[in-house]
Protein backbone atom coordinates (compact mmCIF):
# COMPACT_ATOMS: atom_id res chain seq x y z
CA UNK A 1 0.00 0.00 0.00
CA UNK A 2 1.74 3.14 -1.19
CA UNK A 3 2.08 6.14 1.08
CA UNK A 4 4.41 8.09 -1.18
CA UNK A 5 3.37 11.58 -2.13
CA UNK A 6 2.61 11.59 -5.83
CA UNK A 7 1.74 14.98 -7.29
CA UNK A 8 -0.97 14.79 -9.93
CA UNK A 9 -0.42 17.12 -12.83
CA UNK A 10 -4.05 16.89 -13.86
CA UNK A 11 -6.22 19.26 -11.79
CA UNK A 12 -9.17 17.74 -9.88
CA UNK A 13 -12.55 19.53 -9.58
CA UNK A 14 -12.84 20.89 -6.02
CA UNK A 15 -16.49 19.81 -5.82
CA UNK A 16 -15.47 16.17 -6.52
CA UNK A 17 -13.17 16.08 -3.47
CA UNK A 18 -14.58 14.30 -0.42
CA UNK A 19 -13.89 15.78 3.05
CA UNK A 20 -12.55 13.67 5.92
CA UNK A 21 -13.74 16.08 8.63
CA UNK A 22 -17.04 17.71 9.50
CA UNK A 23 -16.09 21.29 10.27
CA UNK A 24 -13.83 24.19 9.37
CA UNK A 25 -13.25 27.57 10.96
CA UNK A 26 -15.10 29.92 8.62
CA UNK A 27 -13.11 32.86 9.99
CA UNK A 28 -9.98 31.06 8.78
CA UNK A 29 -11.60 30.35 5.40
CA UNK A 30 -12.30 34.09 5.12
CA UNK A 31 -8.62 34.87 5.82
CA UNK A 32 -7.50 32.45 3.10
CA UNK A 33 -9.95 34.01 0.65
CA UNK A 34 -8.45 37.43 1.43
CA UNK A 35 -4.91 36.12 0.84
CA UNK A 36 -6.01 34.60 -2.47
CA UNK A 37 -7.44 37.94 -3.62
CA UNK A 38 -4.15 39.62 -2.72
CA UNK A 39 -2.45 37.55 -5.45
CA UNK A 40 -3.38 40.08 -8.11
CA UNK A 41 -1.99 38.29 -11.18
CA UNK A 42 -2.96 34.90 -12.61
CA UNK A 43 0.73 33.96 -12.45
CA UNK A 44 0.89 34.59 -8.69
CA UNK A 45 -2.33 32.65 -8.17
CA UNK A 46 -0.94 29.73 -10.20
CA UNK A 47 2.26 29.80 -8.08
CA UNK A 48 0.18 29.72 -4.90
CA UNK A 49 -1.79 26.70 -6.15
CA UNK A 50 1.46 24.95 -7.10
CA UNK A 51 2.87 25.47 -3.60
CA UNK A 52 -0.27 24.30 -1.79
CA UNK A 53 -1.34 21.05 -3.40
CA UNK A 54 -4.14 19.29 -1.52
CA UNK A 55 -3.07 15.95 0.07
CA UNK A 56 -5.60 13.24 -0.75
CA UNK A 57 -6.21 9.51 -0.39
CA UNK A 58 -7.45 7.65 -3.46
CA UNK A 59 -10.50 5.67 -2.31
CA UNK A 60 -12.14 2.42 -3.48
CA UNK A 61 -14.84 4.38 -5.31
CA UNK A 62 -12.21 6.21 -7.41
CA UNK A 63 -12.88 9.36 -5.39
CA UNK A 64 -10.22 11.50 -3.77
CA UNK A 65 -10.51 12.14 -0.02
CA UNK A 66 -8.95 15.34 1.35
CA UNK A 67 -6.80 14.67 4.42
CA UNK A 68 -5.53 18.25 4.94
CA UNK A 69 -6.09 21.82 3.67
CA UNK A 70 -9.90 21.64 3.86
CA UNK A 71 -9.88 25.39 4.61
CA UNK A 72 -7.91 26.16 1.47
CA UNK A 73 -10.15 23.98 -0.72
CA UNK A 74 -13.26 25.69 0.68
CA UNK A 75 -11.72 29.17 0.31
CA UNK A 76 -10.71 28.57 -3.30
CA UNK A 77 -14.16 27.22 -4.14
CA UNK A 78 -15.78 30.27 -2.52
CA UNK A 79 -13.48 32.45 -4.67
CA UNK A 80 -14.71 30.79 -7.84
CA UNK A 81 -11.79 28.39 -8.44
CA UNK A 82 -13.13 25.15 -9.92
CA UNK A 83 -10.07 22.85 -10.08
CA UNK A 84 -7.06 22.23 -7.88
CA UNK A 85 -3.85 20.17 -7.92
CA UNK A 86 -3.66 17.30 -5.45
CA UNK A 87 -0.94 15.06 -4.00
CA UNK A 88 -1.90 11.41 -3.51
CA UNK A 89 -0.49 10.34 -0.13
CA UNK A 90 -2.27 6.97 0.02
CA UNK A 91 -3.84 4.44 -2.32
CA UNK A 92 -6.81 2.61 -0.78
CA UNK A 93 -8.50 1.67 -4.06
CA UNK A 94 -8.14 -2.02 -3.19
CA UNK A 95 -9.93 -1.71 0.18
CA UNK A 96 -13.54 -2.94 0.42
CA UNK A 97 -15.91 0.02 0.53
CA UNK A 98 -17.40 -1.20 3.84
CA UNK A 99 -13.94 -1.25 5.43
CA UNK A 100 -12.72 2.03 3.97
CA UNK A 101 -13.56 4.43 6.81
CA UNK A 102 -12.23 2.00 9.42
CA UNK A 103 -8.89 1.90 7.59
CA UNK A 104 -8.91 5.70 7.27
CA UNK A 105 -9.59 5.98 11.02
CA UNK A 106 -6.79 3.56 11.84
CA UNK A 107 -4.36 5.64 9.78
CA UNK A 108 -5.66 8.86 11.38
CA UNK A 109 -6.78 10.19 8.03
CA UNK A 110 -10.29 11.06 9.20
CA UNK A 111 -11.67 13.26 12.01
CA UNK A 112 -15.40 12.54 12.45
CA UNK A 113 -16.15 15.12 15.14
CA UNK A 114 -18.87 17.77 14.92
CA UNK A 115 -18.87 21.45 15.88
CA UNK A 116 -19.48 20.48 19.53
CA UNK A 117 -16.42 18.24 19.54
CA UNK A 118 -18.58 15.09 19.67
CA UNK A 119 -17.72 12.02 17.63
CA UNK A 120 -20.23 11.15 14.92
CA UNK A 121 -20.83 8.28 12.51
CA UNK A 122 -18.70 8.27 9.36
CA UNK A 123 -21.87 8.62 7.27
CA UNK A 124 -22.38 12.07 8.82
CA UNK A 125 -19.19 13.41 7.19
CA UNK A 126 -20.20 15.90 4.47
CA UNK A 127 -19.86 14.82 0.84
CA UNK A 128 -18.54 18.20 -0.30
CA UNK A 129 -16.32 20.97 1.10
CA UNK A 130 -19.30 23.32 0.62
CA UNK A 131 -21.19 21.43 3.36
CA UNK A 132 -18.53 21.74 6.07
CA UNK A 133 -20.00 23.40 9.17
CA UNK A 134 -18.43 26.28 11.06
CA UNK A 135 -16.53 25.60 14.30
CA UNK A 136 -15.44 28.94 15.82
CA UNK A 137 -12.97 27.12 18.07
CA UNK A 138 -11.18 25.77 14.99
CA UNK A 139 -10.74 29.37 13.83
CA UNK A 140 -9.48 30.28 17.31
CA UNK A 141 -6.97 27.41 17.27
CA UNK A 142 -5.70 28.42 13.83
CA UNK A 143 -5.19 32.01 14.94
CA UNK A 144 -3.57 30.81 18.17
CA UNK A 145 -0.96 28.85 16.20
CA UNK A 146 -0.21 31.84 13.96
CA UNK A 147 0.23 34.00 17.09
CA UNK A 148 2.83 31.57 18.45
CA UNK A 149 0.56 29.89 21.01
CA UNK A 150 1.74 26.49 19.81
CA UNK A 151 4.07 25.17 17.14
CA UNK A 152 3.00 23.64 13.84
CA UNK A 153 3.03 19.89 14.33
CA UNK A 154 2.82 16.82 12.10
CA UNK A 155 0.17 15.23 14.36
CA UNK A 156 -2.94 14.72 12.18
CA UNK A 157 -5.73 17.21 12.92
CA UNK A 158 -3.60 18.81 15.65
CA UNK A 159 -5.47 22.12 15.45
CA UNK A 160 -8.73 20.30 16.18
CA UNK A 161 -7.16 18.91 19.37
CA UNK A 162 -6.34 22.47 20.38
CA UNK A 163 -9.85 23.58 19.41
CA UNK A 164 -11.36 20.96 21.74
CA UNK A 165 -9.01 22.02 24.55
CA UNK A 166 -10.23 25.62 24.18
CA UNK A 167 -13.87 24.53 23.77
CA UNK A 168 -13.81 23.01 27.26
CA UNK A 169 -12.59 26.25 28.79
CA UNK A 170 -14.69 29.00 27.22
CA UNK A 171 -18.07 29.44 25.59
CA UNK A 172 -18.64 29.71 21.84
CA UNK A 173 -20.62 32.91 22.59
CA UNK A 174 -17.49 34.52 24.08
CA UNK A 175 -15.52 33.63 20.91
CA UNK A 176 -18.23 34.99 18.60
CA UNK A 177 -18.75 38.22 20.55
CA UNK A 178 -15.13 39.19 21.24
CA UNK A 179 -12.57 37.22 19.23
CA UNK A 180 -9.64 39.40 20.37
CA UNK A 181 -10.45 38.82 24.05
CA UNK A 182 -10.89 35.07 23.39
CA UNK A 183 -7.43 35.10 21.76
CA UNK A 184 -5.89 36.69 24.87
CA UNK A 185 -7.40 33.98 27.03
CA UNK A 186 -6.32 31.28 24.57
CA UNK A 187 -2.70 32.47 24.62
CA UNK A 188 -2.66 32.24 28.42
CA UNK A 189 -4.27 28.78 28.36
CA UNK A 190 -1.81 27.57 25.70
CA UNK A 191 1.16 28.29 27.99
CA UNK A 192 -0.43 26.54 30.97
CA UNK A 193 0.51 23.09 32.23
CA UNK A 194 -3.04 21.94 31.36
CA UNK A 195 -2.03 22.05 27.69
CA UNK A 196 1.24 20.13 28.06
CA UNK A 197 -0.20 16.99 26.38
CA UNK A 198 -1.20 18.80 23.19
CA UNK A 199 0.85 18.64 19.95
CA UNK A 200 3.17 21.61 19.47
CA UNK A 201 2.88 22.79 23.10
CA UNK A 202 5.56 25.41 23.76
CA UNK A 203 4.89 26.56 27.28
CA UNK A 204 7.56 27.64 29.76
CA UNK A 205 10.44 25.22 30.27
CA UNK A 206 10.50 23.19 33.49
CA UNK A 207 13.09 24.13 36.13
CA UNK A 208 13.69 20.51 37.08
Amino acid sequence: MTNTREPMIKPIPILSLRPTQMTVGLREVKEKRKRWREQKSKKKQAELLGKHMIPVVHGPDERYYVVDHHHLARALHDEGVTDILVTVIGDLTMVDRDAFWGVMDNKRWVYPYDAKGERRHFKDIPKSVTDLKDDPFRSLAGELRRAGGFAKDTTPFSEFLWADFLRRRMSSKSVDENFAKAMEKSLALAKSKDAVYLPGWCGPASDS
Side-chain angles (χ1 to χ4, degrees):
M1 202 177 291
T2 177
N3 284 331
T4 55
R5 286 181 176 258
E6 301 168 16
M8 290 187 64
I9 305 306
K10 185 185 169 198
I12 301 291
I14 292 175
L15 290 180
S16 75
L17 297 172
R18 302 295 285 266
T20 56
Q21 63 195 47
M22 305 187 74
T23 66
V24 285
L26 286 183
R27 189 186 182 97
E28 194 158 334
V29 170
K30 194 175 172 184
E31 276 299 309
K32 289 188 185 298
R33 290 183 67 177
K34 184 181 163 198
R35 265 177 266 157
W36 172 255
R37 286 195 296 272
E38 285 167 358
Q39 313 301 312
K40 299 293 184 188
S41 69
K42 292 286 181 192
K43 184 174 180 243
K44 282 192 172 179
Q45 289 181 343
E47 283 172 5
L48 184 75
L49 290 179
K51 282 181 197 164
H52 296 87
M53 287 193 284
I54 305 286
V56 297
V57 169
H58 198 186
D61 49 7
E62 291 302 317
R63 293 185 189 277
Y64 292 97
Y65 291 80
V66 182
V67 292
D68 199 4
H69 299 332
H70 286 78
H71 289 79
L72 178 61
R74 171 65 177 267
L76 290 171
H77 169 268
D78 289 353
E79 284 299 308
V81 178
T82 55
D83 302 297
I84 197 162
L85 295 172
V86 300
T87 305
V88 180
I89 66 160
D91 179 4
L92 296 182
T93 51
M94 76 299 292
V95 176
D96 288 339
R97 194 173 294 172
D98 292 345
F100 174 70
W101 285 115
V103 174
M104 290 285 283
D105 202 19
N106 184 258
K107 287 181 168 288
R108 298 173 81 187
W109 281 340
V110 60
Y111 193 81
Y113 292 81
D114 63 18
K116 294 179 181 175
E118 294 171 1
R119 188 173 173 108
R120 302 281 292 273
H121 197 280
F122 295 127
K123 67 178 171 56
D124 295 329
I125 295 170
K127 302 288 192 293
S128 165
V129 294
T130 59
D131 296 325
L132 292 162
K133 298 283 189 286
D134 182 34
D135 179 358
F137 287 99
R138 177 59 187 77
S139 290
L140 192 62
E143 193 60 37
L144 178 62
R145 181 180 65 76
R146 279 188 291 279
F150 64 97
K152 195 167 178 66
D153 192 273
T154 55
T155 303
F157 304 103
S158 59
E159 289 180 359
F160 278 107
L161 298 177
W162 279 92
D164 286 331
F165 169 76
L166 298 172
R167 192 193 320 279
R168 291 192 295 272
R169 287 161 177 81
M170 61 180 91
S171 68
S172 55
K173 188 181 176 186
S174 67
V175 179
D176 290 334
E177 290 182 353
N178 195 332
F179 194 82
K181 191 173 178 184
M183 264 299 294
E184 279 180 35
K185 187 173 181 182
S186 298
L187 281 162
L189 286 167
K191 303 296 180 189
S192 72
K193 287 287 193 291
D194 288 348
V196 71
Y197 69 94
L198 288 163
W201 184 75
C202 45
S206 171
D207 294 332
S208 57

